[in-house]
Amino acid sequence: LINYHSQTSELINDWLTRETLLESIRCAVALGVNDARLGRLQNDLAKLDRLGSKLVSAIGAWSRQFAHVAVDTTRDGRGMPELGRGGAAGPQASFVWAGRDCIERIQADAHALSRAELHIVGETLASRASGAESEEGVWLSNWSFLPAPQSARAGSGSSVSPTLPSPCPLVTATVATKQFKVNDVLHEGPSPPWYSQRIARSGVQAMRRGRR
């Protein structure tokens, strides 16, 4: 359990760093090609790319190592390993943040950034924070990432996140040129959201027919 706490804490730290980078990218402003803020944006995009790849790999290792801790097999019999069928594939665990699978969120955000759809990136921060802010704050305080939330904050009426202004063309152009490794088809990890196994199978069959 000590190892579980240590690795989970490290994942949470990296995830919070990623959320900070995303917020910085969404709020980026540049007035010209010589604006120093454009360089900082490129630096943030590079950091986000490296951090995304690191998180996908680390979450995959965490899911395999601590599946028996994260999945309650007494409540879901499907999580029990099927030893009689030629394999001991144990329960599959997912690392979830604010009700959303983190690996899926990383891939979806990278896909949205490559299309310069900044209004979609990090949508859980804006659209889901109002409902999960209090519960998430209590959970983070238990892990010593945030101080215990105050009841007055939970009862306040300011649950609606402010609407960000439309990004300037220089920012969207810079973001759209960034290629994220987590969306590469050969990246180690789950398939990116644009990948279709059916289309890939059809393409392989067409290539085989072309060689005959």
Side-chain angles (χ1 to χ4, degrees):
L1 287 179
I2 294 176
N3 192 24
Y4 169 76
H5 184 279
S6 174
Q7 293 194 32
T8 305
S9 299
E10 184 176 351
L11 283 176
I12 295 173
N13 271 322
D14 287 342
W15 188 263
L16 293 176
T17 301
R18 181 182 180 275
E19 297 286 69
T20 301
L21 283 171
L22 277 177
E23 193 66 19
S24 177
I25 292 169
R26 292 175 68 230
C27 299
V29 177
L31 300 179
V33 292
N34 295 325
D35 196 325
R37 290 173 292 186
L38 208 57
R40 288 196 293 269
L41 172 61
Q42 294 171 337
N43 189 36
D44 286 343
L45 289 169
K47 289 180 180 178
L48 185 67
D49 186 21
R50 292 192 298 268
L51 190 56
S53 296
K54 176 186 176 184
L55 277 167
V56 168
S57 177
I59 290 173
W62 179 91
S63 299
R64 292 188 295 270
Q65 183 175 357
F66 301 113
H68 63 288
V69 178
V71 179
D72 187 357
T73 55
T74 63
R75 292 179 177 270
D76 187 358
R78 293 173 298 178
M80 295 293 292
E82 299 182 6
L83 298 175
R85 298 190 178 182
Q92 299 295 317
S94 298
F95 197 86
V96 178
W97 188 269
R100 190 171 176 187
D101 186 287
C102 288
I103 292 182
E104 183 272 332
R105 163 81 184 278
I106 291 171
Q107 292 177 331
D109 285 346
H111 186 62
L113 285 171
S114 66
R115 298 166 59 119
E117 296 176 340
L118 298 182
H119 60 286
I120 299 177
V121 174
E123 61 179 352
T124 52
L125 291 176
S127 61
R128 304 188 185 185
S130 58
E133 180 179 2
S134 178
E135 180 180 353
E136 183 178 314
V138 172
W139 188 82
L140 284 173
S141 66
N142 292 336
W143 282 78
S144 302
F145 286 101
L146 290 176
Q150 300 178 0
S151 57
R153 179 183 175 184
S156 64
S158 57
S159 59
V160 180
S161 301
T163 302
L164 293 175
S166 299
C168 66
L170 273 175
V171 170
T172 55
T174 301
V175 171
T177 57
K178 178 62 180 176
Q179 299 296 323
F180 292 90
K181 293 180 181 179
V182 293
N183 274 350
D184 289 344
V185 70
L186 296 180
H187 183 266
E188 182 180 357
S191 301
W194 53 263
Y195 177 78
S196 170
Q197 186 176 4
R198 179 180 60 82
I199 295 175
R201 190 183 303 114
S202 300
V204 171
Q205 293 175 354
M207 291 176 65
R208 289 175 178 173
R209 288 195 299 268
R211 292 179 180 177
R212 296 176 182 175

